[in-house]
Amino acid sequence: MAAPWASLRLVAPMWNGRIRGIHRLGGAVAPEGNQKKKRTILQFLTNYFYDVEALRDYLLQREMYKVHEKNRFRDKEWIRPDKYGHFSQEFWNFCEVPVEAVDASDCDINYEGLDNLLRLKELQSLSLQRCSHVDDWCLSRLYPLADSLQELSLAGCPRVSERGLACLHHLQNLRRLDISDLPAVSNPGLTQILVEEMLPNCKVVGVDWAEGLKSGPEEQPQDTASPVPA
Amino acid sequence: MIRRVLPHGMGRGRLTRRPGTRRGGFSLDWDGKVSEIKKKIKSILPGRSCDLLQDTSHLPPEHSDVVIVGGGVLGLSVAYWLKKLESRRGAIRVLVVERDHTYSQASTGLSVGGICQQFSLPENIQLSLFSASFLRNINEYLAVVDAPPLDLQFNPSGYLLLASEKDAAAMESNVKVQRQEGAKVSLMSPDQLRNKFPWINTEGVALASYGMEDEGWFDPWCLLQGLRRKVQSLGVLFCQGEVTRFLSSSQRMLTTDDKAVVLKRIHEVHVKMDRSLEYQPVECAIVINAAGAWSSQIAALAGIGEGPPGTLQGTKLPVEPRKRYVYVWHCPQGPGLETPLVADTSGAYFRREGLGSNYLGGRSPTEQEEPDPANLEVDHDFFQDKVQSAWAGYYDYNTFDQNGVVGPHPLVVNMYFATGFSGHGLQQAPGVGRAVAEMVLKGRFQTINLSPFLFTRFYLGEKIQENNII
């Protein structure tokens, strides 16, 4: 039964067959039956037997868990804290190794805390997603990383506005900037355009520039059949 | 058993609410009750006007420890730091007297709102650095219970000052001083300028200095309202009125060289109400002159400058109002989001305003072109192109050396100055407020030493020239 398992891993959130509401995995949305794939015996059974379906869901969960567990960032491993939030002692062996990527998502890092990050002269990727204390002042401190930083993510930071994004123009080596979901930005579509102009070599993701546009006045169909008001 | 011991209504009195009484005592609707009482008395004694319960809520109190003349950002900053640094809660009674509560002519509200550390004097740089950290942590300094946090709309885009050949050496030495004090400023050559900001015309520019951190512009009105709110919550009293008179007493004393000198002490401040002849004498211990463009009038009321010229008694406060214009224009293909506040070799400056390709800026006029400061009318010919809108504001211009005056007067011993900042009062207000509060409460400057800014330099002729005035 190797083939069905293989197809399971690759097409994990997508399967054909009928749409099953509550048994869907983690909110993943399947394409609306557009893809024609061969129905295997397992899929056939799944459609007819609930316990086969439950078994399949369980195995899918296990596979996805394994994928998340793989610590790969451009062929180098992430160093993650364990479930208690502690880093292992082996971390100290890496004193001389330059740090290339820092994931500070959901951290309480603030203006003074950035001191520690700014000393990393070879930092290539920085993720500050959903950091609640990162604001415009913090962004104005990021210029020392201009030579090396290639990827920056600010998604979901509640205090970052377009004024802070203006000081990212120092980061000329930036290739990918994520500015999705910034509630303090007043006009996300226009801000995206201005940031793209400011950083011509960078791919700015996160905002659809057509978001803020309103459709023009619709042409009202002339209703010739309506009676003329007396 | 306890119920028997307590007087009758006490045991249950707290829980029952008798009709007609409410918690909170008589302060609720006191004005309404007073007018009712007056009507009753009038009906009992017809033909006699009852003046016993006059409404004096608009008048300042009769006694106050410190009277601050001027309720702009500097006056409120001094009030805030006096309340923060007082040794015991409620130790100092502070009264802020502001002539115009709409702040229609005050320099604070009309300011462009910039903050930068690119000065030549170390004291100015330190003041600006402290102000930047104050603004950064403003919601910790000015937090008021149950009030929303302040959003200063700070743009950290920095200042870019351009220098021609002859000013390049001065700019380099200034940047050295700035870096020593801890400001993050970088020098750029014309090539680097063109690289970074391709829209700049670098003709005639030999050097540029660019502030990387802690520089930019913000909303001064928000700072003013935040300070006002916080200061009111700390117990400072506000009064809308004009200071018309100081009553002081003098004492003739001998200096160590056996020269006679007359020391004055202000005892009362007469505050006149708006559009009326009514005034209230406020007995006070200390007067702080934070009246901005009108500080010299207040100083003259205290008798500063009445004496033969060339003596300490005859040295006037050299602060006068100078009108400056700010113009707003629209330029669709203009510089992008990263534009700093650019100040040219000629003194003209501009910055972006908002996301919509609007820019605002102005230029300090030369001495010959100085506009008449009698009113805040805008001269549209001063700007050669079409503008969307414009406004004018006053600089409290120090004609001596364009730097502020801070600290006590040598002869009028209880008048302290916090004025004369010639266009950078807003960005130095938190630091200056703290310095004046330290001087008042402790007798000396503790955190930032502003002794070069004392009044005595006008008499001694020691100019502390600031070269980077925009």
Side-chain angles (χ1 to χ4, degrees), chain B residues 197-268:
Chain B
F197 302 114
W199 38 266
I200 287 193
N201 171 12
T202 52
E203 191 183 312
V205 174
L207 195 60
S209 72
Y210 185 27
M212 310 287 278
E213 257 189 74
D214 281 345
E215 291 194 359
W217 57 91
F218 62 97
D219 179 14
W221 187 250
C222 178
L223 175 63
L224 187 69
Q225 293 304 317
L227 271 172
R228 221 182 134 93
R229 194 179 72 177
K230 176 66 176 175
V231 138
Q232 272 176 327
S233 82
L234 288 170
V236 169
L237 296 168
F238 275 79
C239 167
Q240 178 165 3
E242 190 181 338
V243 170
T244 44
R245 202 167 166 204
F246 290 119
L247 283 182
S248 45
S249 67
S250 341
Q251 207 177 9
R252 183 173 284 267
M253 304 187 82
L254 292 178
T255 63
T256 45
D257 309 326
D258 276 339
K259 274 202 288 238
V261 67
V262 176
L263 292 178
K264 255 180 159 174
R265 179 165 216 101
I266 300 176
H267 286 283
E268 257 183 28

Side-chain angles (χ1 to χ4, degrees), chain A residues 148-221:
Chain A
S148 58
L149 197 67
Q150 291 176 13
E151 194 179 319
L152 177 63
S153 172
L154 297 168
C157 293
R159 294 200 195 178
V160 171
S161 72
E162 66 270 18
R163 299 174 285 275
L165 295 178
C167 18
L168 295 180
H169 78 282
H170 293 285
L171 306 173
Q172 285 301 321
N173 282 325
L174 207 60
R175 296 289 168 259
R176 193 186 144 82
L177 175 64
D178 184 359
I179 51 171
S180 46
D181 201 22
L182 293 175
V185 169
S186 52
N187 196 334
L190 184 54
T191 309
Q192 155 106 356
I193 296 175
L194 290 170
V195 173
E196 276 177 7
E197 269 179 31
M198 186 172 85
L199 293 169
N201 300 327
C202 179
K203 179 165 184 304
V204 181
V205 295
V207 182
D208 177 20
W209 64 266
E211 203 177 291
L213 296 178
K214 287 197 285 246
S215 55
E218 310 279 1
E219 291 296 329
Q220 297 294 336

Side-chain angles (χ1 to χ4, degrees), chain A residues 26-209:
Chain A
V29 178
E32 305 290 293
N34 287 343
Q35 306 220 358
K36 293 249 171 211
K37 292 240 184 314
K38 276 207 320 243
R39 291 183 69 188
T40 62
I41 300 170
L42 182 70
Q43 285 163 359
F44 177 73
L45 282 176
T46 315
N47 288 340
Y48 280 92
F49 297 105
Y50 282 126
D51 31 4
V52 176
E53 184 167 3
L55 180 67
R56 182 191 174 165
D57 286 346
Y58 166 70
L59 291 165
L60 212 58
Q61 290 268 19
R62 276 247 309 258
E63 289 299 327
M64 289 191 45
Y65 185 66
K66 272 199 217 152
V67 165
H68 280 203
E69 277 289 293
K70 279 188 199 299
N71 276 340
R72 295 272 122 189
F73 170 75
R74 299 195 201 147
D75 294 337
K76 290 161 193 131
E77 279 194 32
W78 281 104
I79 296 175
R80 289 184 192 276
D82 60 13
K83 66 174 181 181
Y84 296 112
H86 300 147
F87 286 88
S88 78
Q89 287 297 319
E90 294 171 355
F91 191 45
W92 291 105
N93 300 342
F94 293 112
C95 268
E96 301 301 318
V97 177
V99 180
E100 285 198 348
V102 170
D103 182 4
S105 309
D106 304 300
C107 257
D108 285 326
I109 193 166
N110 65 359
Y111 183 88
E112 282 83 15
L114 280 180
D115 276 341
N116 300 317
L117 292 183
L118 296 176
R119 279 188 234 149
L120 304 170
K121 290 299 167 207
E122 272 136 65
L123 194 64
Q124 287 176 21
S125 160
L126 179 59
S127 169
L128 292 170
Q129 297 186 16
R130 295 176 301 277
C131 292
S132 50
H133 298 287
V134 164
D135 58 0
D136 299 334
W137 293 88
C138 297
L139 292 186
S140 76
R141 281 197 90 177
L142 291 180
Y143 64 90
L145 301 172
D147 295 326
S148 58
L149 197 67
Q150 291 176 13
E151 194 179 319
L152 177 63
S153 172
L154 297 168
C157 293
R159 294 200 195 178
V160 171
S161 72
E162 66 270 18
R163 299 174 285 275
L165 295 178
C167 18
L168 295 180
H169 78 282
H170 293 285
L171 306 173
Q172 285 301 321
N173 282 325
L174 207 60
R175 296 289 168 259
R176 193 186 144 82
L177 175 64
D178 184 359
I179 51 171
S180 46
D181 201 22
L182 293 175
V185 169
S186 52
N187 196 334
L190 184 54
T191 309
Q192 155 106 356
I193 296 175
L194 290 170
V195 173
E196 276 177 7
E197 269 179 31
M198 186 172 85
L199 293 169
N201 300 327
C202 179
K203 179 165 184 304
V204 181
V205 295
V207 182
D208 177 20
W209 64 266

Side-chain angles (χ1 to χ4, degrees), chain B residues 170-374:
Chain B
M171 176 175 268
E172 264 194 70
S173 59
N174 287 349
V175 169
K176 214 158 127 197
V177 175
Q178 288 151 23
R179 286 202 185 133
Q180 265 176 348
E181 295 296 328
K184 314 271 194 310
V185 184
S186 73
L187 283 169
M188 295 170 78
S189 67
D191 288 321
Q192 286 170 323
L193 257 189
R194 270 190 294 268
N195 233 353
K196 208 165 181 68
F197 302 114
W199 38 266
I200 287 193
N201 171 12
T202 52
E203 191 183 312
V205 174
L207 195 60
S209 72
Y210 185 27
M212 310 287 278
E213 257 189 74
D214 281 345
E215 291 194 359
W217 57 91
F218 62 97
D219 179 14
W221 187 250
C222 178
L223 175 63
L224 187 69
Q225 293 304 317
L227 271 172
R228 221 182 134 93
R229 194 179 72 177
K230 176 66 176 175
V231 138
Q232 272 176 327
S233 82
L234 288 170
V236 169
L237 296 168
F238 275 79
C239 167
Q240 178 165 3
E242 190 181 338
V243 170
T244 44
R245 202 167 166 204
F246 290 119
L247 283 182
S248 45
S249 67
S250 341
Q251 207 177 9
R252 183 173 284 267
M253 304 187 82
L254 292 178
T255 63
T256 45
D257 309 326
D258 276 339
K259 274 202 288 238
V261 67
V262 176
L263 292 178
K264 255 180 159 174
R265 179 165 216 101
I266 300 176
H267 286 283
E268 257 183 28
V269 178
H270 284 198
V271 179
K272 182 181 98 73
M273 294 299 116
D274 207 22
R275 285 181 296 233
S276 124
L277 287 177
E278 189 184 10
Y279 73 91
Q280 168 78 334
V282 179
E283 202 178 325
C284 63
I286 288 176
V287 175
I288 303 204
N289 185 353
W294 301 275
S295 316
S296 52
Q297 294 166 19
I298 301 291
L301 281 178
I304 294 175
E306 284 165 12
T311 59
L312 189 52
Q313 295 90 324
T315 317
K316 295 196 187 4
L317 180 70
V319 172
E320 61 182 42
R322 290 276 175 101
K323 188 159 71 162
R324 294 287 177 267
Y325 304 120
V326 180
Y327 302 94
V328 181
W329 65 92
H330 178 70
C331 182
Q333 304 296 329
L337 199 59
E338 74 276 7
T339 315
L341 195 150
V342 183
D344 193 8
T345 46
S346 64
Y349 65 92
F350 83 96
R351 66 163 172 86
R352 265 189 83 106
E353 174 64 31
L355 285 176
S357 294
N358 291 324
Y359 300 89
L360 63 84
R363 178 169 72 84
S364 289
T366 55
E367 289 288 338
Q368 292 83 3
E369 296 173 316
E370 279 289 346
D372 177 23

